[in-house]
Amino acid sequence: MNRRVLVLGSSSLVGSHFVETFGRNYEVSAIGRRNIFPKRGVVSEFRKVDFMRKGDLQHAIRTSGADSVVNFAAETDVEKCELERSDFHGRVFITNSLAPRWIAEACHDSGKSLYQISTDAVFTGRSGPYSEDQRTGSCTRSMSWYGCTKKFAEAGVRTILKKPCIVRIAHPYRARFASKTDFARNLLDCYSKGNLYPLFADQTISPTLIDDVSLALDFLIKRDATGIFHVASSNATTPFDFGCKLISTFYDVRDPADVLEKGSVRDFNKKSGKAPRLVNGGLRTTKIAAAGFVPRTFEEGIEEIHRQSMRT
């Protein structure tokens, strides 16, 4: 019998890919703000639920026939999140911090496994790339409000459930998604229009190919995995080097380093009103690789979205 999986945030950049990829491998149901799979036959049931309403959210989870719950739902625009900094009654805090705790409570009550999607933004950015056993940072002004809320979410989930599975990702990107852009496609779009901004050359990141998130979740769900796992490129890079590889791949530019402008994340972080970015960020993927799933390098990820983009 196919596993029954309840997806929260099925219309999101990352969640929609999982549904598209494995909707026919599992019996997938979904709850969220909108259903983008009404005629595709990949979602067996969809319930419209406002994640700001605890009772409605928990009732939908408890009464679901699913064995596993995957929570992709979150407010992810870091600049918009920053506008609600320290607002513990705002949409960002409720969606990113309180809702995962409510979800964990409903999973606990109904005996469901929870797979919570998180981020490298829960760290300080002082000593990355980070392994799964390194402590998350303190919620100070050096951490974005987005990072703070996701850190609170992790803590809440781990307080309620003895054995949740937390999957951290960073700078996700994919070949196509009409509803929202991403790290790679935004760079390509800006470059094509001649207004690509300076790319940080002093920031450490490990971008995540969204295809690998879907594959990793399939891997973890089938094994009833628990604990914290990082799913990101298996090698670290900088936004500038990532951009160079991206532009050379999609536009056949011989030496993009001569074309692209370098920027500084340290200078960016000094600007008033901007959400702070990690300087030495990134995620180590040793744990999930040791378990048997090896995420692709950022170069392989770029080659993969290029292959998909070239398909008619």
Side-chain angles (χ1 to χ4, degrees), residues 45-272:
E45 179 186 11
F46 178 84
R47 290 196 236 179
K48 187 175 182 179
V49 175
D50 185 349
F51 281 44
M52 303 281 285
R53 300 174 66 88
K54 177 181 179 180
D56 293 348
L57 178 60
Q58 291 190 327
H59 176 75
I61 294 169
R62 290 188 181 114
T63 57
S64 165
D67 310 299
S68 303
V69 175
V70 186
N71 183 28
F72 295 98
E75 297 289 342
T76 59
D77 186 319
V78 295
E79 297 302 344
K80 289 184 178 179
C81 288
E82 204 66 20
L83 297 175
E84 292 189 18
R85 191 170 192 98
S86 300
D87 182 355
F88 296 100
H89 301 284
R91 175 171 289 277
V92 172
F93 182 77
I94 293 174
T95 304
N96 289 3
S97 301
L98 288 185
R101 186 183 183 95
W102 300 339
I103 293 163
E105 289 173 349
C107 286
H108 178 271
D109 295 344
S110 53
K112 295 173 173 52
S113 300
L114 175 59
Y115 298 81
Q116 170 70 23
I117 306 301
S118 193
T119 170
D120 66 336
V122 300
F123 294 106
T124 62
R126 296 192 185 99
S127 58
Y130 293 91
S131 63
E132 291 86 352
D133 58 3
Q134 287 183 264
R135 294 183 64 180
T136 57
S138 300
C139 186
T140 64
R141 279 286 172 181
S142 63
M143 181 183 287
S144 68
W145 185 238
Y146 169 68
C148 290
T149 59
K150 296 297 283 185
K151 168 187 162 66
F152 298 149
E154 287 190 14
V157 165
R158 296 177 74 181
T159 298
I160 301 300
L161 296 173
K162 290 182 179 179
K163 294 182 177 182
C165 185
I166 294 172
V167 178
R168 295 186 185 129
I169 65 176
H171 296 85
Y173 64 98
R174 58 188 288 187
R176 297 185 184 91
F177 187 57
S179 300
K180 186 178 181 181
T181 190
D182 57 43
F183 181 56
R185 286 182 294 127
N186 182 57
L187 296 183
L188 290 169
D189 183 57
C190 289
Y191 179 81
S192 69
K193 294 176 180 177
N195 59 2
L196 182 58
Y197 46 86
L199 300 177
F200 301 146
D202 58 350
Q203 181 188 33
T204 303
I205 61 172
S206 51
T208 300
L209 176 66
I210 291 174
D211 305 54
D212 279 353
V213 181
S214 296
L215 292 169
L217 281 168
D218 176 57
F219 177 87
L220 295 169
I221 290 170
K222 286 178 177 176
R223 288 159 178 77
D224 297 312
T226 60
I228 299 174
F229 293 89
H230 290 172
V231 180
S233 59
S234 55
N235 58 339
T237 185
T238 68
F240 182 79
D241 289 338
F242 183 89
C244 286
K245 172 62 178 176
L246 191 68
I247 299 307
S248 66
T249 300
F250 276 79
Y251 288 96
D252 196 26
V253 177
R254 180 171 296 181
D255 196 352
D258 291 338
V259 178
L260 304 184
E261 184 179 352
K262 290 184 178 181
S264 169
V265 67
R266 291 173 174 84
D267 291 343
F268 178 90
N269 283 341
K270 295 175 183 177
K271 296 179 181 179
S272 176

Side-chain angles (χ1 to χ4, degrees), residues 206-207 212 231-236 283-285 289 294-300:
S206 51
D212 279 353
V231 180
S233 59
S234 55
N235 58 339
L283 299 169
R284 298 188 186 278
T285 58
V294 180
R296 279 166 271 201
T297 65
F298 79 87
E299 295 97 338
E300 290 171 335

